[in-house]
């Protein structure tokens, strides 16, 4: 079943040199599960695509549909629900609250969505236990974690509300090869039950783990590679 449909979307900006198209007549349909890698040079439109899907930005023209509903036509209540329940985001630099604990950071999306603190903390611990995160780090401040540990927290936070879509923007950019492989395997497992869309410069890892690869240049798709049947 198709979950996300991007229909002829353009995102333009006015610059001193004229109009720049971050995305240009971009169309793609994503199913409800699977691991999709988006690659391309810096400035090709990869992050703009994720920003549009996550409602951090809006198209200049074109439409984006989630479960056949045009997300631009939603009211603010439905948009908020989408941001905090239907999608999870793993940012390039984590965007964790450094002064708060591991447990609090993972529980935060659930708290925002209205879940009680007791239930949110319980679920956060269950998520940590699922990846054998060291118990003595549960109450550790995020600022004291290693890069790999922060990445684990960011991934778990992104799936805390059981979203249908997980968006990842260069999540392995600051990690060594061992941790990069570990997290790609985590995303691969997540993609068995959710739609995962990952932007990356690491073409080798994307080629190894993604089910489909979308190459973008100047805001448009120039190549698609399907490694498995949907």
């Amino acid at each position: 079943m198709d979950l996300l449909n991007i229909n002829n979307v353009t995102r333009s900006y006015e610059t001193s040199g004229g109009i720049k198209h971050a995305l240009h007549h971009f169309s793609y349909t994503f199913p409800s599960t699977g691991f999709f890698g988006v690659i391309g040079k810096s400035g090709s439109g990869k992050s703009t695509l994720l920003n549009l899907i996550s409602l951090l930005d809006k198209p200049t023209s074109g439409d984006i549909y989630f479960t056949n509903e045009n997300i631009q036509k939603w009211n603010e209540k439905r948009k908020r629900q989408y941001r905090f329940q239907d999608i999870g985001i793993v940012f390039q630099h984590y965007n964790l609250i450094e002064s708060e604990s591991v447990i609090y950071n993972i529980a935060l999306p659930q708290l925002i969505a209205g879940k009680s603190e007791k239930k949110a903390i319980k679920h956060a611990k269950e998520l940590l236990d699922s990846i054998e995160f060291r118990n003595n780090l549960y109450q550790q401040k995020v600022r004291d974690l290693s890069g790999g540990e922060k990445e684990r927290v960011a991934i778990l936070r992104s799936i805390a509300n059981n979203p249908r879509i997980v968006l990842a923007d260069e999540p392995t950019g600051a990690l060594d090869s061992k941790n990069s492989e570990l997290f790609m395997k985590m995303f691969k497992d997540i993609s068995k039950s959710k739609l995962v869309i990952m932007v990356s410069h690491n073409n080798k890892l994307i080629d190894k783990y993604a089910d489909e690869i979308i190459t973008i240049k100047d805001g448009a798709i120039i190549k698609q590679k399907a490694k498995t049947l949907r």
Side-chain angles (χ1 to χ4, degrees):
M1 183 185 85
D2 294 335
L3 180 66
L4 184 70
N5 179 23
I6 301 170
N7 184 25
N8 199 30
V9 164
T10 293
R11 180 61 174 104
S12 301
Y13 301 90
E14 288 189 19
T15 69
S16 57
I19 300 295
K20 174 179 171 55
H21 299 299
L23 281 184
H24 194 51
H25 297 301
F26 188 100
S27 294
Y28 202 86
T29 299
F30 295 93
S32 57
T33 62
F35 191 164
F36 290 75
V38 183
I39 61 175
K41 294 181 180 180
S42 295
S44 60
K46 304 185 304 297
S47 293
T48 297
L49 175 63
L50 296 192
N51 288 340
L52 292 172
I53 293 172
S54 60
L55 289 175
L56 294 176
D57 197 359
K58 57 184 179 181
T60 305
S61 62
D63 300 290
I64 300 175
Y65 296 88
F66 174 74
T67 60
N68 295 320
E69 297 178 4
N70 190 325
I71 67 175
Q72 279 79 46
K73 294 183 178 180
W74 285 340
N75 59 31
E76 286 304 315
K77 180 180 179 180
R78 180 64 183 97
K79 287 180 179 179
R80 180 181 173 83
Q81 180 186 35
Y82 174 76
R83 291 188 190 105
F84 292 110
Q85 297 182 34
D86 293 317
I87 61 172
I89 306 175
V90 183
F91 295 95
Q92 183 175 359
H93 300 294
Y94 314 128
N95 280 22
L96 299 170
I97 303 176
E98 296 277 330
S99 61
E100 294 290 350
S101 67
V102 167
I103 281 288
Y104 178 83
N105 271 273
I106 296 173
L108 184 58
Q110 303 169 77
L111 296 172
I112 293 173
K115 186 175 287 189
S116 71
E117 182 176 354
K118 182 178 180 180
K119 289 183 178 179
I121 294 297
K122 180 176 182 292
H123 184 50
K125 288 181 178 178
E126 290 171 350
L127 288 171
L128 285 163
D129 290 341
S130 72
I131 62 166
E132 299 180 353
F133 200 87
R134 286 185 290 157
N135 290 352
N136 63 325
L137 292 182
Y138 284 10
Q139 298 301 330
Q140 189 83 28
K141 301 297 184 184
V142 166
R143 61 174 173 247
D144 298 322
L145 301 180
S146 68
E149 289 165 342
K150 288 182 180 180
E151 184 65 30
R152 283 184 175 87
V153 175
I155 293 173
L156 294 181
R157 181 186 62 181
S158 76
I159 62 172
N161 278 337
N162 193 29
R164 300 183 68 176
I165 302 174
V166 175
L167 305 174
D169 191 358
E170 296 284 359
T172 63
L175 302 177
D176 59 29
S177 57
K178 181 179 178 181
N179 274 314
S180 293
E181 290 276 355
L182 172 65
F183 296 123
M184 292 299 281
K185 290 176 182 176
M186 286 182 65
F187 283 114
K188 187 69 172 180
D189 287 340
I190 291 169
S191 73
K192 293 175 183 177
S193 60
K194 306 179 189 303
L195 170 62
V196 175
I197 305 173
M198 179 186 290
V199 160
S200 180
H201 281 106
N202 195 325
N203 294 5
K204 184 177 179 180
L205 279 179
I206 287 291
D207 190 59
K208 182 176 180 180
Y209 288 98
D211 299 316
E212 296 196 23
I213 302 170
I214 304 165
T215 304
I216 300 179
K217 181 179 180 181
D218 298 328
I221 297 173
I222 61 169
K223 185 179 179 182
Q224 296 171 222
K225 179 181 178 183
K227 293 166 58 183
T228 60
L229 293 176
R230 293 189 181 182

